[in-house]
Amino acid sequence: MSAPDHQIVPKRIAIMGSTGSIGTQALDVIRENPDHFTAEVLVAHSNADLLITQALEFKPNAVVIGDESKYKLVKDTLFEHDIKVFAGPKAIEQIVEMETIDMVLAAIVGYAGLASTINAIRHRKHIALANKETLVVAGDLVTRLAMEHGVNIYPVDSEHSAIFQCLAGEWENPIEKIYLTASGGPFRGKDISFLQTVTREQALRHPNWTMGAKITIDSASLMNKGLEVIEAKWLFNLKPSQIDVIVHPQSIIHSLVQFEDGSIKAQMGLPDMKLPIQYAMAYPQRLKNTFPRFDFINYPNLSFEKPDLGTFRNLALAFDAMHKGGNMPCVLNAANEVVVHAFLEERVGFLQMSDIIETCLAKTSFVNTPAYEEYVACDLETRLMAKALI
Ligand code: NDP
Ligand code: MG
């Protein structure tokens, strides 16, 4: 039974990456549920205009703009509205310490999200985690810190939210294995010769999801699924052999858990990130909403295929990096961020991305249990190596 409305104390959320795809949808969720959530802090990188618009609507306590050249514009506009304004990467890292924050939604894209999430955990803030790269780069360190500080990490990524939802009420029952579903992206079923000539525009056309540019390219190359496999290992404390990927082009089943009695639980719904965002923010509650509902009649066939690891080598590289462990997933992620950026600028071809990532993995010396500083150094060195290879 849910508590009567008058007893609800709104959860104060810091939205890291409020101007992005996840960030704006998180604000949609807050707009729908003003009794349950408030936006305590908004953080953006470069989109000052949208940050200002959001701040004027949601009246946060503070905002941070990563790009310091935009500080004056944001400050001058929000000053009279009594909203604190900070700028720069250090401020992004530190803002999560604010006492009035109950939960941090980590929705900055890429490695750039790592420092603020780690600092939030150190300050005992619960995390709603969209930024999968955090767990790919430093899953060992991040999950250890979360345990030490009594912090919960609630998955926002739809597949991991699905697994989490399937596990509700099953905490004592061991997982036999999980299946992460993958749409297959815009190039599902294509061969190497087709991929040789694909363009940025083709890769950005995802069949089922509208997302930021980086994750959309990752979805086309199946690196996104590779990152998610590693993310799942850390979130659910699994062995690599317990994680499988199945291509499901309709993106209706968001992932599945198989228990030791052979029973499989799946979570279904339309592909819409607002649901997993809301579930992570409201857990353990399920809040009523007006998001569109799934209709079986529109989906008479749900189908499944094996992923093509020969053509989409990124997924195989990610499995390999996960098996090796240590700093290898950090190398995988850093090299991938560099090549995706270059692909978006049309400086490398689609298939070259995997070549460069593979070379970086082969050339980097293995470190078994890196400390934070070693992850930082490994990320930097890999970026230099990948850039030199482009
Ligand atoms: P977007 O590119 O749409 O948004 C990224 C956000 O991060 C923006 O607010 C951007 O600010 C901010 N940002 C970028 N660089 C920096 C930086 N150096 N410092 C601080 N902020 C920065 O990405 P998405 O919303 O698509 O993805 C965010 C994360 O969520 C990713 O890790 C992604 O893998 C994950 N995710 C996303 C899903 C989706 O449906 N979009 C689904 C599952 C996971 P600005 O725009 O102002 O420059
Ligand atoms: Mg996902």
Side-chain angles (χ1 to χ4, degrees):
M1 245 189 4
S2 59
D5 277 1
H6 62 268
Q7 285 179 8
I8 296 170
V9 180
K11 210 180 263 179
R12 297 161 296 183
I13 318 266
I15 303 187
M16 316 301 285
S18 68
T19 47
S21 164
I22 293 290
T24 51
Q25 294 180 84
L27 288 171
D28 291 340
V29 170
I30 294 180
R31 199 182 281 116
E32 279 233 358
N33 299 283
D35 297 339
H36 288 87
F37 311 112
T38 59
E40 180 67 8
V41 170
L42 300 176
V43 174
H45 180 58
S46 56
N47 194 342
D49 292 339
L50 182 55
L51 179 66
I52 288 169
T53 308
Q54 292 175 339
L56 293 176
E57 177 182 353
F58 290 91
K59 302 278 185 299
N61 188 336
V63 305
V64 188
I65 180 92
D67 178 350
E68 280 155 304
S69 70
K70 310 260 170 80
Y71 173 69
K72 192 173 168 351
L73 168 67
V74 181
K75 168 96 184 147
D76 289 351
T77 318
L78 299 183
F79 178 72
E80 59 185 291
H81 298 274
D82 208 21
I83 296 169
K84 299 182 198 79
V85 179
F86 305 95
K90 206 71 209 161
I92 294 180
E93 190 179 332
Q94 287 170 348
I95 197 74
V96 296
E97 297 172 19
M98 260 173 52
E99 261 183 36
T100 49
I101 295 171
D102 298 314
M103 174 179 257
V104 171
L105 172 67
I108 291 174
V109 59
Y111 175 87
L114 177 67
S116 53
T117 299
I118 287 187
N119 198 35
I121 293 171
R122 289 192 196 281
H123 286 82
R124 300 182 192 280
K125 308 295 183 187
H126 293 301
I127 308 288
L129 187 77
N131 179 276
K132 64 193 85 187
E133 294 91 343
T134 292
L135 289 179
V136 174
V137 172
D140 167 53
L141 175 72
V142 170
T143 50
R144 199 154 20 91
L145 283 174
M147 289 274 277
E148 279 168 23
H149 291 85
V151 163
N152 295 331
I153 300 179
Y154 301 103
V156 168
D157 212 347
S158 58
E159 295 76 2
H160 307 72
S161 175
I163 302 284
F164 186 53
Q165 293 180 56
C166 291
L167 290 175
E170 304 273 8
W171 307 120
E172 305 297 318
N173 292 324
I175 297 171
E176 190 165 82
K177 72 188 291 184
I178 65 165
Y179 293 91
L180 295 178
T181 52
S183 70
F187 305 140
R188 182 176 60 88
K190 303 296 187 199
D191 59 13
I192 298 261
S193 67
F194 181 90
L195 294 181
Q196 236 143 20
T197 57
V198 294
T199 63
R200 174 186 186 279
E201 275 59 44
Q202 286 171 296
L204 283 171
R205 233 174 277 139
H206 196 281
N208 303 345
W209 298 94
T210 310
M211 311 178 283
K214 191 256 176 187
I215 184 175
T216 306
I217 301 302
D218 284 347
S219 300
S221 71
L222 289 205
M223 181 54 93
N224 183 49
K225 211 48 54 183
L227 301 178
E228 290 184 355
V229 163
I230 302 171
E231 180 186 18
K233 168 187 153 59
W234 293 112
L235 278 173
F236 305 112
N237 193 21
L238 299 170
K239 294 196 200 72
S241 59
Q242 289 176 288
I243 309 171
D244 220 335
V245 170
I246 186 87
V247 174
H248 164 48
Q250 298 81 19
S251 297
I252 294 300
I253 294 183
H254 296 305
S255 281
L256 315 92
V257 182
Q258 181 174 310
F259 293 95
E260 289 188 321
D261 60 356
S263 176
I264 293 181
K265 275 171 119 178
Q267 187 264 336
M268 295 171 65
L270 289 173
D272 180 350
M273 284 309 296
K274 287 200 287 294
L275 176 61
I277 292 169
Q278 176 180 295
Y279 191 72
M281 292 192 337
Y283 180 85
Q285 265 187 290
R286 288 191 180 273
L287 303 181
K288 195 174 164 70
N289 62 36
T290 58
F291 307 155
R293 271 22 180 185
F294 172 77
D295 184 344
F296 282 90
I297 302 310
N298 295 335
Y299 293 86
N301 297 301
L302 296 182
S303 60
F304 305 93
E305 304 163 12
K306 259 170 101 89
D308 177 356
L309 271 69
T311 306
F312 296 90
R313 275 160 50 222
N314 280 354
L315 182 54
L317 291 172
F319 266 109
D320 195 40
M322 172 173 63
H323 277 279
K324 289 188 175 128
N327 58 338
M328 288 298 125
C330 174
V331 174
L332 176 92
N333 179 71
N336 183 57
E337 287 193 26
V338 171
V339 294
V340 169
H341 185 71
F343 179 75
L344 285 167
E345 291 185 339
E346 297 176 312
R347 289 188 288 113
V348 288
F350 191 79
L351 293 175
Q352 259 181 297
M353 292 197 285
S354 307
D355 295 338
I356 293 169
I357 297 165
E358 189 167 16
T359 305
C360 289
L361 285 164
K363 282 191 164 177
T364 306
S365 349
F366 182 74
V367 183
N368 193 24
T369 314
Y372 179 67
E373 296 69 28
E374 289 172 297
Y375 282 122
V376 174
C378 177
D379 174 79
L380 188 67
E381 280 160 27
T382 307
R383 279 169 198 272
L384 294 174
M385 193 188 300
K387 279 178 191 161
L389 287 166
I390 288 170

